[in-house]
């Protein structure tokens, strides 16, 4: 595979940007190679600056459930930009997107639109702290909610002790406000509440974890979080930034009929443009300025072009209802992968939720952070590089998920399985 242009541009990129990228995972460090420079996306394909074509299973880390350059989204963006790029003022597009979100999520009576998932999650936690008058939050090992200080905390030594920073620059004073529990382990949550329940403002959780590879919630785990937060007067925040409008035209909360107090959204609701959102019950959301005393703001929040892209995306999803078809296509792909794993008796496992899946290089079961750490990341890197050479663009990290879109084809699936068979036979 020719990568001369990518290599040349990456050298230049490193002159002006730390690591040559604007988000760490894109640097391909964990798969032991330099990143490709992407020139174009069309449908289910990516094209790099050297003209190589790839079947894309990253889909911009989730937003592109309708694939690249969907005609109705491109048309909506072009129409919006013809009227201007940003007003810094109220505009009808904000109402359109907010309405679509509130109609899709019964738990969301009001929503605030922001520019990223990080902004949404950090604002939801600030709101929960204000609403409850408490400071501590519980998050889970292996779950990611963006790069705000409160979240860049890993488990302390005794796990239930408050966390320790995962990143330089996070003051120690911040870490004692974040308690890290074990995903899928209700007992660890109950112990945390027994120790400090009256101080806990909120529990924030990815209802389906997608940042340690894909890990599904065990039956009863999420309902257990709902019950214990209600018991102690803490808020339950579902981070549906990945799962929102991905698992259905709603979220995991819709499928499981669980009613979180706050929900964070992102990715798909922007249709590929920068949009995040947090929302919930009106009596909580009315604490947000200018109505209430919790400050949160953003120059480009509600940007008209992003609103147009997001609303066009949700309208297509509502009309098309692509979910059964995408899930069926994903099932074909994962069934094929499973049969390859069985044929070669590989020490691999595969977790799937709807149109998301992860192939892990470790034996099952993989249902929490501790178990996914068993993965052979060198094998994953080898698999990634071989599949890239063959024309399949996978997430450049074992701890991300693959996404299938509404425009992936039977041919894409067949080609992926053909190359995966060759590749896994050589691992
Ligand atoms: P952003 O700030 O990156 O828009 O969203 C943060 C975020 C919040 N919550 C969840 C569940 C998320 O998955 C994310 C961001 N996801 C990562 C990939 N898993 C984004 C990719 C990147 O960091 O470059």
């Amino acid at each position: 595979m020719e990568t001369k242009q990518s290599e040349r541009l990456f050298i230049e990129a490193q002159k002006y940007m730390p690591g040559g990228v604007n988000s760490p995972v894109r640097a391909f460090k964990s798969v032991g190679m330099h990143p490709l420079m992407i020139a174009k996306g069309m449908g289910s394909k990516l094209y790099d600056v050297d003209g190589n074509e790839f079947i894309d299973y990253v889909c911009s880390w989730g937003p592109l459930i309708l694939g690249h350059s969907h005609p109705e989204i491109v048309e909506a963006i072009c129409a919006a930009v013809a009227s201007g790029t940003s007003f810094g003022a109220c505009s009808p597009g904000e109402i359109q997107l907010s309405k679509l979100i509130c109609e899709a999520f019964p738990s969301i009576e009001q929503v605030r639109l922001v520019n990223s998932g990080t902004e949404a999650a950090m604002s939801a936690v600030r709101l929960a702290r204000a609403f409850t008058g408490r400071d501590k939050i519980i998050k889970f090992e292996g779950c990611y909610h963006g790069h705000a200080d409160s979240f860049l905390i890993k488990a302390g030594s005794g796990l239930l002790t408050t966390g320790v920073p995962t990143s330089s620059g996070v003051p120690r004073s911040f870490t004692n406000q974040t308690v890290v529990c074990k995903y899928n382990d209700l007992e660890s949550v109950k112990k945390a509440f027994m120790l400090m329940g009256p101080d806990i403002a909120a529990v924030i959780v990815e209802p389906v974890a997608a940042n340690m590879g894909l890990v599904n919630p065990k039956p009863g785990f999420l309902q257990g979080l709902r019950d214990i937060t209600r018991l102690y007067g803490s808020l339950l925040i579902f981070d549906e930034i990945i799962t929102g409008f991905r698992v259905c035209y709603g979220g995991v909360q819709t499928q499981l009929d669980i009613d979180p107090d706050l929900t964070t959204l992102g990715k798909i609701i922007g249709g590929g443009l920068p949009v995040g959102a947090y929302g919930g019950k009106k009596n909580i959301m009315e604490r947000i300025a200018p109505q209430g005393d919790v400050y949160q703001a953003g120059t480009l929040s509600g940007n008209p072009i992003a609103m147009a892209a997001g609303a066009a995306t949700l309208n297509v999803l509502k009309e098309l209802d692509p979910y059964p078809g995408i899930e069926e296509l994903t099932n074909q792909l994962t069934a094929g992968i499973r049969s390859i794993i069985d044929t070669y008796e590989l020490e691999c496992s595969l977790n799937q939720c709807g149109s998301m899946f992860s192939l892990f290089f470790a034996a099952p079961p993989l249902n929490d952070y501790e178990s996914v750490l068993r993965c052979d990341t060198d094998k994953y890197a080898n698999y990634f590089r071989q599949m890239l050479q063959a024309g399949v663009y996978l997430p450049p990290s074992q701890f991300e998920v693959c996404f299938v879109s509404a425009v992936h084809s039977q041919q894409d699936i067949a080609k992926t399985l053909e190359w995966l068979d060759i590749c896994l036979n050589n691992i």
Side-chain angles (χ1 to χ4, degrees), residues 351-364:
N351 288 350
Q352 177 187 350
C353 173
S355 58
M356 302 184 286
F357 69 93
S358 289
L359 171 60
F360 294 99
F361 285 85

Side-chain angles (χ1 to χ4, degrees), residues 23-26 61 115-119 121 144-147 206 210-211 239 241-242 264 267 400:
S23 197
V25 71
R26 299 183 199 167
W61 306 98
N115 299 287
S116 72
T118 294
E119 252 193 289
Y144 178 68
H145 308 289
H147 64 86
E206 289 183 64
N211 283 286
D239 179 346
I241 286 164
I242 281 190
T264 57
K267 297 185 191 266
E400 298 288 348

Side-chain angles (χ1 to χ4, degrees), residues 205-278:
V205 65
E206 289 183 64
V208 170
N211 283 286
M212 49 175 143
L214 191 101
V215 172
N216 284 302
K218 283 182 182 168
F221 175 63
L222 297 174
Q223 187 56 54
L225 296 181
R226 177 65 289 178
D227 297 343
I228 196 163
T229 46
R230 273 224 172 91
L231 184 66
Y232 281 87
S234 307
L235 299 190
L236 177 60
I237 304 173
F238 267 19
D239 179 346
E240 298 229 39
I241 286 164
I242 281 190
T243 54
F245 296 102
R246 167 61 60 178
V247 297
C248 66
Y249 190 75
V252 172
Q253 59 189 270
T254 322
Q255 291 182 322
L256 299 182
D257 194 19
I258 292 179
D259 203 28
D261 299 293
L262 290 173
T263 299
T264 57
L265 295 168
K267 297 185 191 266
I268 289 175
I269 65 167
L273 270 66
V275 181
Y278 62 101

Side-chain angles (χ1 to χ4, degrees), residues 20-278:
V21 295
N22 287 302
S23 197
V25 71
R26 299 183 199 167
F28 280 30
K29 271 182 117 167
S30 66
V31 289
M33 61 180 284
H34 289 161
L36 301 180
M37 289 281 164
I38 301 302
K40 183 175 88 169
M42 187 56 70
S44 63
K45 305 295 185 301
L46 278 178
Y47 300 86
D48 70 10
V49 292
D50 290 282
N52 300 304
E53 178 186 280
F54 304 93
I55 302 169
D56 179 19
Y57 289 102
V58 176
C59 299
S60 184
W61 306 98
L64 305 181
I65 192 168
L66 294 173
H68 294 275
S69 307
H70 186 282
E72 292 187 50
I73 298 170
V74 171
E75 188 187 334
I77 292 171
C78 292
V81 75
S83 302
T85 53
S86 174
F87 311 129
C90 303
S91 66
E94 296 169 287
I95 303 167
Q96 202 189 2
L97 184 56
S98 307
K99 186 165 180 256
L100 284 164
I101 292 170
C102 293
E103 286 171 345
F105 282 85
S107 74
I108 300 179
E109 293 173 344
Q110 281 207 322
V111 65
R112 170 59 63 87
L113 300 167
V114 294
N115 299 287
S116 72
T118 294
E119 252 193 289
M122 64 185 262
S123 307
V125 161
R126 182 182 304 143
L127 173 58
R129 285 173 163 153
F131 185 77
T132 59
R134 304 173 182 179
D135 292 341
K136 289 193 188 318
I137 60 166
I138 288 179
K139 76 173 288 287
F140 293 90
E141 275 193 317
C143 286
Y144 178 68
H145 308 289
H147 64 86
D149 287 341
S150 302
F151 305 129
L152 294 181
I153 311 282
K154 66 183 179 199
S157 52
L159 187 61
L160 292 191
T161 58
T162 50
V164 292
T166 332
S167 165
S168 304
V170 176
R172 292 289 295 186
S173 57
F174 278 54
T175 60
N176 61 23
Q177 301 306 336
T178 301
V179 180
V180 182
C181 290
K182 283 183 75 168
Y183 193 80
N184 272 330
D185 178 345
L186 266 183
E187 282 314 307
S188 74
V189 182
K190 287 175 183 167
K191 280 184 197 143
F193 271 95
M194 269 162 45
L195 280 171
M196 43 193 119
D199 300 331
I200 294 173
V203 172
I204 185 167
V205 65
E206 289 183 64
V208 170
N211 283 286
M212 49 175 143
L214 191 101
V215 172
N216 284 302
K218 283 182 182 168
F221 175 63
L222 297 174
Q223 187 56 54
L225 296 181
R226 177 65 289 178
D227 297 343
I228 196 163
T229 46
R230 273 224 172 91
L231 184 66
Y232 281 87
S234 307
L235 299 190
L236 177 60
I237 304 173
F238 267 19
D239 179 346
E240 298 229 39
I241 286 164
I242 281 190
T243 54
F245 296 102
R246 167 61 60 178
V247 297
C248 66
Y249 190 75
V252 172
Q253 59 189 270
T254 322
Q255 291 182 322
L256 299 182
D257 194 19
I258 292 179
D259 203 28
D261 299 293
L262 290 173
T263 299
T264 57
L265 295 168
K267 297 185 191 266
I268 289 175
I269 65 167
L273 270 66
V275 181
Y278 62 101

Side-chain angles (χ1 to χ4, degrees), residues 323-337:
Y323 298 99
I326 307 177
E327 180 146 359
E328 174 44 37
L329 203 58
T330 311
N331 291 343
Q332 284 175 33
L333 178 55
T334 52
I337 296 173

